[in-house]
Amino acid sequence: MRLKPSGSPHPLDDLGLGALPQLLSPDLVDQVIADCGRRDRRVRALPARVTLYFVLALWLCPAAGPEVLRMLFQQLKEQLRAGALRIPATAAAVQACRRLGPAPLRALFRRLRGPHGDPGAPGMSAFGCDLALLKVSVDGTRLDVADTPANRKAFGAPPRGRFGSGRYPQIRVLMLIASGTRAVLEAVWGPWSVGELPLLDKLMQTGAVRRVMLVLADRYFTGFPQVSQIVRTGAHLIFRTPSRRKLPVFTELPDGSYLSVLPGPVYSVKGDWRRSARERGRRLGLRARQEQGIRIRVIEAEVTVIPEHGEPRTESYRLITTLLDPKQAPAEQIARLYAERWEAEIAFADLKTYLRSHQKVLRSKDPQGVAQELYALLIVYQLVQITRARAARTYPHAEALDPDRISFTVTLRALVRTIGRTAPPARLLHDALREIHAHPLLTRRPRAKPRERKGTVALAKAITTRPPSKVEYKITTRAPRGN
């Protein structure tokens, strides 16, 4: 084995990933590789940094497959033509990925996570300067992994559904997403059998939820253990809660909302609430649970959707929040803010539909490879969102542009087109931003579509009767009912 001399240049040191070195500097990549103990000890055809670029490029160009290596080496075409270099074989790339492992990708994602937007930028914060809470959403999704014995052992068999067993094992990912930029603040994951509530415990242990945040989530997270974890951080929340839940009316407020309490745990638990039935202690009465509960404010509203085609429909919403002052946070504004939770759904569409393209199943056949691929996918997603946020800040025809006006797919394609070019990364990023600025989106129009699973007969029938169209939303807060 020939050791690599300290400080000696490598023939591939100048190899980059288009404009991305401006967002992901080579020094940062080398640092995380060294910190994880993956630094090269001898001269290789694919050094660690280039291998990491290769893993990322597989998600930037998922349809290219092995041709990704040829795209990367295109910027060194003079050396290739002269015979000084050769493009490594696919088997060499696979071995290099195994040597690299998931640790550098995980460390790199931790360096890149964050909202990547100023608190005062359009769409980032709620309630203006008086409160200025960063809007974030918590939600989960699932990803398919290759059906191999190693993956089945680590992640379980394909889950069963209404129509029998699935085709692939799955992993579950829970993400904390900034609603303004759709950037990821934190992501945790595990086998499909691990539910979103245990993953929320894992997410809270990372310290990603902080005092200056306004957390939005759906009905699945409105249990007392989940709400109390968020409240202990000092963050505020707006959650939708089931309409069947009985919440007492303590004080009716002028805007139609009312003060109430989220009752504490049913059992007198000391320590971890996930104890066996024998260890839970005595059952508490309602009064004792309310004394241990969390003070909340309840907003009951009716949302009427008026489409261009078809009949209007009305849906009831019941929201709970820890923002107790109706002057600081009016009920109608809270009801409108809850719609920001759907930014998480748009983020999952960006990640799973537009970024993955036709690569619906993770390629890796073992758990270490799955972890590497997943963190690479999150890194590429984050880099695209960082570019979107930068494009919004530097838009030449407006002082401050909402990142919602910047297309994810336009940004992704602009970055992909810079791969393999020989210009300096700063120039490539400048060209990519110019391309992005030339295609701003129109102001987002409220639209509605049937809530059916994509690609099913039910969706096709529903769209025939109620095609997606522009809609108007009318939000009406109502006085509390006796409960």
Side-chain angles (χ1 to χ4, degrees):
M1 177 183 294
R2 185 161 57 90
L3 295 179
K4 179 181 177 181
S6 177
S8 62
H10 192 281
L12 301 182
D13 279 348
D14 295 331
L15 192 68
L17 198 59
L20 292 185
Q22 282 295 107
L23 311 169
L24 188 67
S25 69
D27 292 339
L28 175 60
V29 174
D30 291 342
Q31 182 180 348
V32 297
I33 289 173
D35 291 345
C36 296
R38 295 296 189 270
R39 179 182 292 173
D40 296 311
R41 295 184 59 84
R42 64 184 178 90
V43 178
R44 294 184 179 274
L46 276 175
R49 186 206 297 172
V50 178
T51 303
L52 191 144
Y53 286 159
F54 169 70
V55 175
L56 298 182
L58 285 172
W59 283 120
L60 282 166
C61 312
E67 288 298 311
V68 167
L69 274 175
R70 189 172 298 277
M71 295 173 61
L72 281 176
F73 278 75
Q74 179 64 26
Q75 57 193 286
L76 301 176
K77 55 186 176 183
E78 295 298 331
Q79 293 92 322
L80 291 171
R81 193 176 294 124
L85 287 175
R86 63 180 180 87
I87 300 176
T90 303
V94 172
Q95 292 297 325
C97 291
R98 290 177 178 171
R99 286 196 304 270
L100 184 67
L105 279 299
R106 181 170 57 246
L108 195 56
F109 170 70
R110 289 174 176 170
R111 299 290 188 97
L112 293 175
R113 62 189 176 182
H116 294 282
D118 298 328
M124 290 298 295
S125 301
F127 304 113
C129 298
D130 294 338
L131 201 55
L133 295 173
L134 178 68
K135 296 178 294 185
V136 299
S137 301
V138 175
D139 210 346
T141 189
R142 296 184 289 183
L143 297 172
D144 293 335
V145 301
D147 190 0
T148 63
N151 284 343
R152 283 196 174 220
K153 183 178 180 180
F155 308 121
R160 295 186 62 85
R162 290 183 298 173
F163 306 104
S165 298
R167 297 176 60 189
Y168 299 100
Q170 291 183 336
I171 59 175
R172 194 189 302 273
V173 185
L174 187 73
M175 297 167 62
L176 183 69
I177 297 170
S179 299
T181 58
R182 301 205 294 272
V184 181
L185 283 77
E186 186 56 273
V188 294
W189 64 285
W192 173 83
S193 58
V194 177
E196 291 185 359
L197 298 186
L199 286 179
L200 181 65
D201 295 344
K202 188 176 178 181
L203 178 72
M204 298 303 299
Q205 293 171 7
T206 65
V209 179
R210 300 190 301 275
R211 189 178 191 85
V212 296
M213 292 181 178
L214 176 64
V215 184
L216 311 173
D218 61 15
R219 288 172 284 195
Y220 193 62
F221 297 97
T222 54
F224 177 82
Q226 292 74 45
V227 172
S228 61
Q229 287 185 88
I230 294 173
V231 169
R232 283 197 297 269
T233 67
H236 287 284
L237 58 87
I238 301 175
F239 286 2
R240 187 178 180 184
T241 188
S243 57
R244 295 176 297 177
R245 173 174 287 178
K246 294 184 178 180
L247 296 172
V249 179
F250 288 163
T251 305
E252 295 186 23
L253 301 174
D255 61 355
S257 61
Y258 59 94
L259 299 181
S260 183
V261 64
L262 186 67
V266 177
Y267 296 94
S268 57
V269 181
K270 293 184 179 180
D272 191 357
W273 64 276
R274 296 180 301 269
R275 291 176 178 265
S276 64
R278 183 176 297 180
E279 296 174 320
R280 287 176 181 171
R282 62 185 179 86
R283 187 182 181 93
L284 299 178
L286 179 59
R287 181 175 298 179
R289 292 178 61 204
Q290 290 181 353
E291 290 176 355
Q292 298 180 13
I294 299 171
R295 291 186 65 202
I296 57 172
R297 182 165 152 235
V298 183
I299 296 95
E300 296 188 358
E302 290 183 347
V303 180
T304 303
V305 182
I306 307 173
E308 287 181 329
H309 311 290
E311 296 295 326
R313 66 181 188 274
T314 300
E315 187 173 355
S316 297
Y317 277 73
R318 194 188 217 191
L319 307 176
I320 61 172
T321 180
T322 52
L323 296 164
L324 305 181
D325 187 354
K327 294 181 180 179
Q328 195 176 47
E332 185 174 348
Q333 188 174 356
I334 287 177
R336 292 186 180 278
L337 269 173
Y338 180 72
E340 296 282 335
R341 189 194 74 78
W342 286 95
E343 295 295 336
E345 303 293 344
I346 298 174
F348 291 144
D350 292 342
L351 182 77
K352 298 176 65 175
T353 303
Y354 304 118
L355 185 56
R356 289 192 312 172
S357 186
H358 299 294
Q359 187 63 42
K360 301 300 184 184
V361 182
L362 300 188
R363 303 175 182 87
S364 299
K365 295 177 173 53
D366 59 86
Q368 291 294 308
V370 168
Q372 185 185 69
E373 272 195 272
L374 175 61
Y375 285 115
L377 179 63
L378 293 173
I379 289 170
V380 172
Y381 171 85
Q382 191 76 341
L383 290 173
V384 178
Q385 301 295 15
I386 292 171
T387 308
R388 285 182 64 245
R390 180 175 293 194
R393 290 195 304 268
T394 59
Y395 189 67
H397 306 300
E399 292 184 1
L401 192 67
D402 194 317
D404 286 342
R405 297 280 308 278
I406 304 296
S407 167
F408 181 89
T409 54
V410 168
T411 305
L412 174 61
R413 291 165 186 163
L415 292 175
V416 170
R417 274 191 279 270
T418 64
I419 298 176
R421 291 175 54 185
T422 55
R427 178 64 186 178
L428 295 177
L429 182 60
H430 175 74
D431 292 344
L433 290 175
R434 285 185 59 187
E435 180 180 344
I436 296 166
H437 290 155
H439 299 87
L441 294 173
L442 298 173
T443 302
R444 183 184 293 177
R445 299 178 301 168
R447 299 180 74 241
K449 69 176 185 64
R451 298 185 67 178
E452 302 287 349
R453 186 174 180 181
K454 293 181 180 179
T456 61
V457 176
L459 177 63
K461 291 182 178 179
I463 287 179
T464 302
T465 56
R466 289 184 286 121
S469 62
K470 182 179 179 181
V471 299
E472 294 181 7
Y473 291 98
K474 181 180 179 182
I475 299 177
T476 306
T477 57
R478 62 170 184 250
R481 295 169 290 181
N483 50 0

